[in-house]
């Protein structure tokens, strides 16, 4: 709603004391009218430039302001040219509410509105010069404020190819986001480092450089030092044009080379709330098939079917889990998409191999690049030309060069291209039964720059030697247009490179005349949408797509890997912060090339890398054509680490799959920074060397050479070691602990108040999924009363939709409490028929942190006493070992109690309880109610 000013004409008088606004140079715009829309709760205003100048081009003289509280938690502020439509991220790609079209009509009228209020966020403004602020209703905190400070930043600037706007920031703000780039300093933004957004094919080991994706969004976490209460919010600038973002600590400035200012503010107040609110706009992350959470093996250089068969056999011999085998471009005929090299990958032999692994439960994924080889005998090219699907330059398809040599690039903004691409996927899937597609090089990557032609009388590329990336076309620079040489130069590739360097010329154009200049950074996003549609249509099952280039909303369609990293300790360290950033971006299925893409990789480094990579949401080993072999069985010490780490991952698959469901329904990241679970604990705000899976499973890896100890931060509470659950770290107020970490040992700890569903593991997810379940229940160590919760989602995992209500899924809430000398563990099942039909049972329950003597008696199952005559259940008790000692160790003991042989159906409600020896508080039935809401996975 809007509030009225007591001085109704004040703004009008200030703004119109002359025919135009104030003549002061650099004073931005003046608000000349604003009123509520008669159609909805939005507000439309008009801004007039105060004085024109030619720096970076001419000012847009009249702007339209659109403000709307789209939900209780989301505020939109949209600023564009009032006279003509400007480029925006296409509404048919990223589905969202569209402001009224600009009409070219505007009016001056007295400004009678002071602010526009929503349930939590309040939009306020000043009229001359125009600035706006967004503040919280709950605590009065300002989260965004464009009011100019002479020392920090200037007024808003809107020109055709240059947009600038800034916000002030308080010193306690911790910022995260903006990407994609690799950051040596970790996930938290560092003042005065470059943050440039423009999709580029730049090696991922290049630090602080714009890489494959563009995500103009940040999360701001602030802690009220007095009250100790943290509040998070997020700001998305939905704009696909290239931009520099300058973060100075006390302010943030956007400098964008086109489009509109389309801001979305999400009020949180928790980090999980923020991601939920953001993904409700940009799209919930894609549902992933169960097998995709297994381990993947790839390499550029698996040159024939026999080599691929040998890799699979060696993983089985080494007893290292493997679910998916991949082929890079080796399988193609001359690197041409949707073809098969019939010499090295004869179809009959390949189909025999795929039939074998598919019967085992393994899957097969292959690469495609967007460049379509210019070859008159190539059917994909022929059909593409017939359907006119390629990006144009001066009326002809734009020519570039990638692995096949001369190529044209499909225009995925063209509906005909989407149909053609889907048909090519169908044709190829009939040729080779693939299980997913890997879309690479889609920034777009181009070996050449400028306007090129195919040379006459010269082989391009040369067929001698291995694959290379040297441009062999005849090319000339294109710098004669304002699209190729804009007035403001963003810091592209880290050295203000030309926008068209090694990509499509930005003066080329797409469907309906859209310039590459505007649409460049959404290429990978548009390709992912087309690929998702094509796979779904041709296979009828849940698509799996891995994309290198991403944009806002890509997570709805694809997973992501972090590109061409190196086999170095630095690349291992950086992989954690990049992974965590993508969770904030709404792309939770993410990981880095384990052991590094480029050579060389030391044996010790590969050991440590699989100990981290086994817990990436997307876990894949991949290597470069010229790199030494890096499969996990190549070194025995690495194989041992792999068996340990991946062995744990495969036991955790039910938990990971449930996190996948939570991501798909709420946007919650699978891998998370610690501050997601501990936002009030400021010590973890800059932590990038540890991470959580879900809210409660913490990974604390070794990230330096030669180290056998690791210093880990333990937020307040009890943490149980997953490889020996009798070990516990108790951290009363939060502390750093030095943990033992010999070469094959990894530190994974489970937090208190959690119920973790697990299975027994296996060498493939299909096998692991048939084994009995167990539940790990964690209470605060030695506490006299406590509660714990967990959840489990199960479904027919290749159904296109991941949801309840289809008869092919089950959801279970788990609960536990301790008190009144009794321990209780129970479940509430939704739509249990599916789980019952699969015969899944819970065989074991392990409860950690119990106070007393640990002795259990009077065991009841579903209200009935259990005796040796009715059921044989093994009960064991082990005293917990405090790894570094509890602050109250002298006053308290805690025990681990394990019950084996329960055979409780997952798909049926159960209630199991037993009596403990003295030491527990009374009134246990109310313990769970007392502690309130369940924590999330």
């Amino acid at each position: 709603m809007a509030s009225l000013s007591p001085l109704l004409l004040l703004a009008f008088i200030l703004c119109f004391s002359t025919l135009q606004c104030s003549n002061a140079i650099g004073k931005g715009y003046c608000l000349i009218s604003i009123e509520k829309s008669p159609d909805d709760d939005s507000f439309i205003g008009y801004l007039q430039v105060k004085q024109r100048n030619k720096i970076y081009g001419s000012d847009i003289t009249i702007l339209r302001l659109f403000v709307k509280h789209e939900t209780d938690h989301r505020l939109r502020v949209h600023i564009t040219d009032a006279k003509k439509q400007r480029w925006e991220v296409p509404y048919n790609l990223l589905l969202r509410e569209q402001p009224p079209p600009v009409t070219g009509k505007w009016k001056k009228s007295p400004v009678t509105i002071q602010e526009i209020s929503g349930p939590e966020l309040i939009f306020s403004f000043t009229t001359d010069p125009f600035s706006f602020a967004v503040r919280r209703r709950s605590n009065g905190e300002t989260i965004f404020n464009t009011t100019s400070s002479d020392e920090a930043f200037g007024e808003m600037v809107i020109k055709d190819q240059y947009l600038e706007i800034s916000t002030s920031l308080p010193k306690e703000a911790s910022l995260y986001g903006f990407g994609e780039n690799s950051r040596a300093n970790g996930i938290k933004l560092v003042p005065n480092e470059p943050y440039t957004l423009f999709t580029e094919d730049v090696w991922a080991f290049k630090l602080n450089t714009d890489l494959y994706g563009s995500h103009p969004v940040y999360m701001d976490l602030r802690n009220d030092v007095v009250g100790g209460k943290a509040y998070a919010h997020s700001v998305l600038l939905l704009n696909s044009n290239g931009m520099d973002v300058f973060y100075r600590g006390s302010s943030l400035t956007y400098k964008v080379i086109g489009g509109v200012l389309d801001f979305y503010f999400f009020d949180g107040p928790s980090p999980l709330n923020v991601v939920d609110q953001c993904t409700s706009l940009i799209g919930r992350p894609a549902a992933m098939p169960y097998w995709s959470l297994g381990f993947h093996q790839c390499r550029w250089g698996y040159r024939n079917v026999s080599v691929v068969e040998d890799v699979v056999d060696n993983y089985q011999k080494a007893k290292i889990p493997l679910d998916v085998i991949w082929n890079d471009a080796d399988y193609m005929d001359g690197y041409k998409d949707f073809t098969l090299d019939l010499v090295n990958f004869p179809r009959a032999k390949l189909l025999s191999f795929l039939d074998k692994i598919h019967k085992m439960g393994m899957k097969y994924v292959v690469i495609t690049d967007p460049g379509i080889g210019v070859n008159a005998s190539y059917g994909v090219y022929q059909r593409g030309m017939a359907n006119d699907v390629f990006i144009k330059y001066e009326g002809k398809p734009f020519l570039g060069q990638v692995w096949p040599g001369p190529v044209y690039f499909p225009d995925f903004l063209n509906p005909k291209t989407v149909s053609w691409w889907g048909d090519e996927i169908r044709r190829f899937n009939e040729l080779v039964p693939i299980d997913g597609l890997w879309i690479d090089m889609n920034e777009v990557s181009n070996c050449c720059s400028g306007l090129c032609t195919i040379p006459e009388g010269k082989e391009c590329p040369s067929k001698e030697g291995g694959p290379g990336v040297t441009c062999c076309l005849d090319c000339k620079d294109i710098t004669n247009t304002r699209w190729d040489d804009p007035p403001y130069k963003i810091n592209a590739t880290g050295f203000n490179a030309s926008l068209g360097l090694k990509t499509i010329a930005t003066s080329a154009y797409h469907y309906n005349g859209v310039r590459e200049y505007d649409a460049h950074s959404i290429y990978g996003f548009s390709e992912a949408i087309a690929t998702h549609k094509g796979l779904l249509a041709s296979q009828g099952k849940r698509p799996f797509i891995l994309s290198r280039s991403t944009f806002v909303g890509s997570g709805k369609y694809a997973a992501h890997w972090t590109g061409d990293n190196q086999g170095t300790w630095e690349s291992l360290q950086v992989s954690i912060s990049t992974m965590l950033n993508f969770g904030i971006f709404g792309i939770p299925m993410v990981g880095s090339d384990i052991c590094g893409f480029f050579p060389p990789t030391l044996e010790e480094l590969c050991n440590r890398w699989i100990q981290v990579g086994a817990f990436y949401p997307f876990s894949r080993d991949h290597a470069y054509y010229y790199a030494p072999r890096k499969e996990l069985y190549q070194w025995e010490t690495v194989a041992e680490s792999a068996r340990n780490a991946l062995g744990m991952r495969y036991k955790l698959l039910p938990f990971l799959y449930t996190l996948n469901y939570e991501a798909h329904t709420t946007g919650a990241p699978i891998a998370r920074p610690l501050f997601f679970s501990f936002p009030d604990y400021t010590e973890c705000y800059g932590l990038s060397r540890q991470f959580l899976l879900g809210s409660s499973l913490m990974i604390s890896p070794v990230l330096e050479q030669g180290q056998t100890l690791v210093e880990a931060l333990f937020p307040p509470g009890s943490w149980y070691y997953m490889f020996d659950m009798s070990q516990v770290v108790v951290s009363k107020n939060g502390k750093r602990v030095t943990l033992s970490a010999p070469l094959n040992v990894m530190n994974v700890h489970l937090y208190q108040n959690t119920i973790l569903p697990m299975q027994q593991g296996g060498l493939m997810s299909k096998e692991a999924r048939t084994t009995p379940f167990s539940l790990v229940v964690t209470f605060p160590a030695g506490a006299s009363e406590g509660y714990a919760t967990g959840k489990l989602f199960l479904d027919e995992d290749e159904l296109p939709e991941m949801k309840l209500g289809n008869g092919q899924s089950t959801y279970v809430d788990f609960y536990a409490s301790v008190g009144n000398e009794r321990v209780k563990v129970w479940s509430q099942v939704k739509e249990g028929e599916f789980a019952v039909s699969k015969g899944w049972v819970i065989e074991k329950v392990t409860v950690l942190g119990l106070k007393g003597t640990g002795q259990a008696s009077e065991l009841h199952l579903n209200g009935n006493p259990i005796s040796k005559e009715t059921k044989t259940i093994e009960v064991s008790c082990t005293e917990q070992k405090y790894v570094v000692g509890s602050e109250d160790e002298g006053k308290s003991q805690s025990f681990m109690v394990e019950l084996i042989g329960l055979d409780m159906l997952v798909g049926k409600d159960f209630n199991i309880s037993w009596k403990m020896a003295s030491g527990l508080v009374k009134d246990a039935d109310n313990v769970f109610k007392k502690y309130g809401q369940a924590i999330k996975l």
Side-chain angles (χ1 to χ4, degrees):
M1 61 181 294
S3 59
L4 298 180
S5 168
L7 302 174
L8 299 181
L9 298 180
L10 178 60
F12 181 80
I13 294 170
L14 287 174
C15 210
F16 295 105
S17 55
T18 59
L19 178 63
Q20 291 188 333
C21 298
S22 167
N23 290 323
I25 295 174
K27 294 300 182 182
Y29 285 79
C30 172
L31 183 67
I32 57 176
S33 70
I34 186 167
E35 58 186 25
K36 187 175 182 297
S37 169
D39 301 322
D40 57 18
D41 291 330
S42 65
F43 290 77
I44 293 178
Y46 292 93
L47 309 171
Q48 186 171 32
V49 69
K50 291 170 70 69
Q51 182 164 342
R52 304 180 193 182
N53 63 73
K54 295 293 186 180
I55 301 172
Y56 301 133
S58 299
D59 297 275
I60 297 176
T61 56
I62 301 293
L63 302 176
R64 191 193 67 181
L65 169 69
F66 174 84
V67 181
K68 185 176 183 181
H69 289 91
E70 293 188 334
T71 72
D72 287 351
H73 303 285
R74 182 172 82 225
L75 169 67
R76 185 179 188 183
V77 179
H78 182 279
I79 301 174
T80 188
D81 190 333
K83 298 179 180 179
K84 64 178 182 180
Q85 190 73 33
R86 288 179 61 79
W87 163 259
E88 297 186 50
V89 176
Y91 284 84
N92 65 328
L93 289 188
L94 189 62
L95 302 177
R96 61 202 190 278
E97 185 177 340
Q98 193 162 355
V102 293
T103 62
K105 299 178 181 179
W106 54 277
K107 63 180 179 178
K108 301 174 183 178
S109 61
V111 176
T112 60
I113 298 168
Q114 277 187 322
E115 59 185 32
I116 300 169
S117 298
E120 171 63 355
L121 297 180
I122 299 172
F123 175 88
S124 61
F125 54 85
T126 58
T127 57
D128 186 12
F130 172 75
S131 66
F132 71 87
V134 179
R135 72 178 189 274
R136 292 186 182 278
R137 180 186 297 277
S138 57
N139 64 2
E141 182 179 48
T142 298
I143 65 173
F144 199 85
N145 188 355
T146 71
T147 303
S148 172
S149 166
D150 291 338
E151 295 181 1
F153 55 83
E155 302 292 347
M156 181 178 74
V157 179
I158 309 288
K159 300 171 184 283
D160 189 30
Q161 290 183 266
Y162 183 76
L163 290 64
E164 179 179 327
I165 193 168
S166 303
T167 179
S168 56
L169 293 167
K171 62 181 180 180
E172 66 269 19
S174 295
L175 268 57
Y176 311 88
F178 293 127
E180 177 180 8
N181 54 28
S182 298
R183 300 173 189 163
N185 290 316
I187 186 174
K188 186 177 174 181
L189 298 190
V190 176
N192 302 315
E193 284 197 350
Y195 300 104
T196 298
L197 281 66
F198 188 73
T199 59
E200 302 267 15
D201 179 3
V202 176
W203 291 331
F205 58 81
K206 299 227 171 179
L207 300 178
N208 301 323
T209 298
D210 47 319
L211 297 179
Y212 314 105
S214 176
H215 296 273
V217 61
Y218 71 89
M219 179 186 292
D220 183 338
L221 180 62
R222 304 178 189 179
N223 188 280
D224 180 352
V225 178
V226 177
K229 174 69 174 175
Y231 287 84
H233 67 268
S234 185
V235 180
L236 166 65
L237 173 57
L238 189 55
N239 184 302
S240 64
N241 290 84
M243 68 180 77
D244 288 329
V245 180
F246 295 90
Y247 172 48
R248 301 181 183 89
S250 62
S251 66
L252 186 76
T253 297
Y254 300 86
K255 296 185 177 183
V256 192
I257 60 172
V260 302
L261 294 181
D262 193 4
F263 282 105
Y264 292 86
F265 300 92
F266 308 96
D267 66 22
S270 75
L272 274 179
N273 293 150
V274 164
V275 180
D276 183 5
Q277 293 153 11
C278 185
T279 56
S280 71
L281 170 71
I282 67 174
R284 299 298 195 192
M288 294 290 162
Y290 201 88
W291 55 263
S292 69
L293 294 167
F295 184 67
H296 303 241
Q297 179 60 53
C298 185
R299 174 186 169 81
W300 184 16
Y302 290 155
R303 61 186 181 276
N304 57 47
V305 176
S306 296
V307 172
V308 180
E309 288 177 316
D310 186 60
V311 171
V312 172
D313 290 344
N314 282 326
Y315 266 95
Q316 292 178 321
K317 290 174 185 176
K319 298 191 181 305
I320 299 172
L322 178 66
D323 256 80
V324 191
I325 188 70
W326 295 54
N327 263 129
D328 206 310
D330 308 280
Y331 77 93
M332 298 178 182
D333 176 19
Y335 297 103
K336 298 191 296 293
D337 281 350
F338 305 120
T339 64
L340 199 59
D341 177 351
L342 297 179
V343 174
N344 293 304
F345 287 81
R347 184 166 183 259
K349 186 173 183 178
L350 178 60
L351 291 181
S352 176
F353 165 69
L354 294 180
D355 182 62
K356 174 185 174 182
I357 66 168
H358 281 149
K359 286 178 179 176
M360 294 163 52
M362 290 183 64
K363 304 296 180 180
Y364 181 60
V365 177
V366 298
I367 196 171
T368 62
D369 294 337
I372 300 299
V374 177
N375 186 322
S377 63
Y378 173 32
V380 178
Y381 167 80
Q382 293 170 348
R383 291 184 289 273
M385 290 297 291
N387 285 281
D388 193 24
V389 302
F390 299 113
I391 292 172
K392 299 287 202 321
Y393 188 90
E394 295 182 345
K396 299 178 181 179
F398 178 83
L399 183 70
Q401 179 191 327
V402 201
W403 304 115
V407 297
Y408 294 154
F409 297 103
D411 173 12
F412 292 104
L413 299 185
N414 186 340
K416 288 199 300 183
T417 307
V418 175
S419 298
W420 162 80
W421 187 254
D423 185 59
E424 297 303 336
I425 290 173
R426 177 193 61 78
R427 290 170 181 268
F428 184 70
N429 193 62
E430 291 173 355
L431 182 71
V432 180
I434 56 172
D435 299 290
L437 279 174
W438 170 18
I439 52 177
D440 192 12
M441 308 285 282
N442 50 353
E443 292 75 30
V444 170
S445 180
N446 183 359
C447 299
C448 303
S449 303
L451 185 60
C452 304
T453 57
I454 300 174
E456 295 183 6
K458 175 177 143 184
E459 187 177 55
C460 176
S462 172
K463 293 185 173 58
E464 296 181 3
V469 293
T470 302
C471 180
C472 59
L473 301 178
D474 290 337
C475 303
K476 62 179 181 180
D477 290 340
I478 308 175
T479 58
N480 59 339
T481 76
R482 63 191 182 103
W483 311 111
D484 299 295
D485 187 24
Y488 175 77
K489 309 295 189 293
I490 63 171
N491 191 31
T493 68
F495 56 90
N496 297 100
S498 164
L499 296 181
L501 180 67
K502 301 292 186 179
T503 187
I504 297 171
T506 43
S507 54
Y509 58 90
H510 296 249
Y511 180 69
N512 274 350
V514 170
R515 293 284 178 188
E516 170 70 8
Y517 180 87
D518 295 312
H520 173 83
S521 289
I522 63 170
Y523 191 92
F525 176 41
S526 63
E527 185 191 14
I529 294 173
T531 305
H532 189 277
K533 184 176 182 179
L535 276 176
L536 187 60
S538 66
Q539 297 183 339
K541 60 184 182 181
R542 192 174 300 173
F544 175 78
I545 300 162
L546 184 73
S547 180
R548 189 168 75 174
S549 185
T550 59
F551 184 69
V552 176
S554 287
K556 184 177 179 181
Y557 306 97
H560 174 65
W561 94 108
T562 63
D564 298 342
N565 60 0
Q566 275 186 316
T568 64
W569 293 96
E570 182 176 63
S571 281
L572 170 59
Q573 295 160 17
V574 166
S575 74
I576 295 176
S577 57
T578 306
M579 169 185 68
L580 297 178
N581 254 335
F582 271 88
I584 294 173
F585 298 154
I587 308 178
M589 189 64 166
V590 58
S592 295
D593 286 345
I594 294 170
C595 297
F597 181 66
F598 287 110
T601 303
L602 300 173
E603 180 177 351
E604 180 192 357
L605 174 57
C606 205
N607 259 285
R608 294 307 190 185
W609 209 319
I610 187 56
Q611 293 171 12
V612 179
F615 301 98
Y616 293 153
F618 172 64
S619 184
R620 184 184 73 159
D621 182 303
H622 180 44
Y624 183 51
Y625 185 90
Y626 297 104
R629 296 289 289 267
K630 299 183 184 182
E631 294 85 4
L632 300 179
Y633 54 76
Q634 296 290 342
W635 305 273
E636 180 48 41
T637 62
V638 176
E640 183 179 351
S641 285
R643 286 188 287 268
N644 292 340
L646 291 173
M648 179 58 71
R649 180 187 182 92
Y650 274 62
K651 292 176 183 177
L652 292 169
L653 284 175
F655 171 66
L656 290 171
Y657 193 65
T658 303
L659 291 176
N660 175 25
Y661 174 72
E662 186 178 353
H664 181 59
T665 54
T666 72
I670 296 173
R672 305 173 191 173
L674 270 65
F675 67 74
F676 265 65
S677 290
F678 304 95
D680 297 331
Y681 184 53
T682 57
E683 287 294 312
C684 65
Y685 280 15
L687 188 63
S688 300
R689 300 172 67 86
Q690 297 167 249
F691 60 95
L692 295 171
L693 292 178
S695 67
S696 55
L697 193 69
M698 184 170 71
I699 319 300
S700 306
V702 173
L703 300 174
E704 283 94 16
Q705 186 173 7
Q707 296 297 310
T708 56
L709 300 172
V710 60
E711 184 183 73
L713 179 66
F714 284 83
S718 300
W719 297 86
Y720 298 89
Y721 180 47
M722 286 295 296
F723 291 89
D724 179 358
M725 294 184 194
S726 69
Q727 295 185 26
V728 59
V729 173
V730 176
S731 173
K732 184 176 182 180
N733 298 310
K735 62 185 175 184
R736 294 187 179 274
V737 178
T738 300
L739 302 171
S740 176
L743 185 60
N744 298 121
V745 172
M746 59 229 68
N747 281 283
V748 181
H749 291 82
L750 183 64
Y751 191 55
Q752 65 187 37
N753 306 333
T754 301
I755 301 178
L756 180 70
M758 301 176 68
Q759 286 177 282
Q760 294 180 0
L763 295 182
M764 281 178 285
S765 64
K766 181 181 179 180
E767 170 192 345
R769 207 177 186 200
T770 63
T771 62
F773 281 81
S774 61
L775 300 179
V776 179
V777 182
T778 61
F779 294 121
S784 57
E785 59 182 47
Y787 74 97
T789 63
K791 61 187 71 169
L792 175 66
F793 178 81
L794 302 161
D795 73 348
E796 199 63 67
D797 69 297
E798 292 197 346
L799 288 175
E801 293 189 80
M802 187 185 213
K803 64 178 184 179
L804 291 171
N806 58 10
Q808 298 292 309
S809 56
T810 293
Y811 185 88
V812 186
D813 281 307
F814 297 110
Y815 304 94
S817 65
V818 59
N820 196 29
E821 299 185 4
R822 295 199 73 81
V823 179
K824 296 185 178 182
V825 183
W826 70 98
S827 71
Q828 293 180 356
V829 179
K830 296 177 182 176
E831 304 182 27
E833 295 84 0
F834 172 71
V836 171
S837 72
K838 295 294 184 179
W840 282 315
V841 297
I842 299 169
E843 179 186 1
K844 180 171 69 173
V845 172
T846 304
V847 183
L848 310 178
L850 293 173
K851 187 177 181 179
T853 66
Q855 299 301 313
S857 61
E858 298 182 20
L859 184 62
H860 286 70
L861 179 60
N862 297 327
N864 301 312
I866 297 177
S867 64
K868 292 182 180 179
E869 289 75 24
T870 58
K871 198 174 185 73
T872 301
I873 296 177
E874 298 178 21
V875 181
S876 63
C877 175
T878 305
E879 185 174 355
Q880 307 275 179
K881 298 187 288 286
Y882 291 95
V883 173
V884 293
S886 167
E887 286 85 345
D888 300 315
E889 188 173 2
K891 304 176 184 177
S892 175
Q893 287 179 302
S894 66
F895 291 86
M896 175 176 75
V897 173
E898 195 165 72
L899 286 72
I900 302 175
L902 295 169
D903 289 330
M904 302 179 298
L905 284 170
V906 172
K908 297 283 188 180
D909 291 353
F910 72 83
N911 188 322
I912 185 167
S913 64
W914 65 92
K915 186 176 181 180
M916 298 293 297
S918 63
L920 303 182
V921 299
K922 306 297 182 181
D923 200 21
D925 292 334
N926 291 319
V927 167
F928 185 79
K929 295 178 182 178
K930 173 180 176 180
Y931 281 94
Q933 295 181 356
I935 60 173
K936 293 184 177 181
L937 275 174

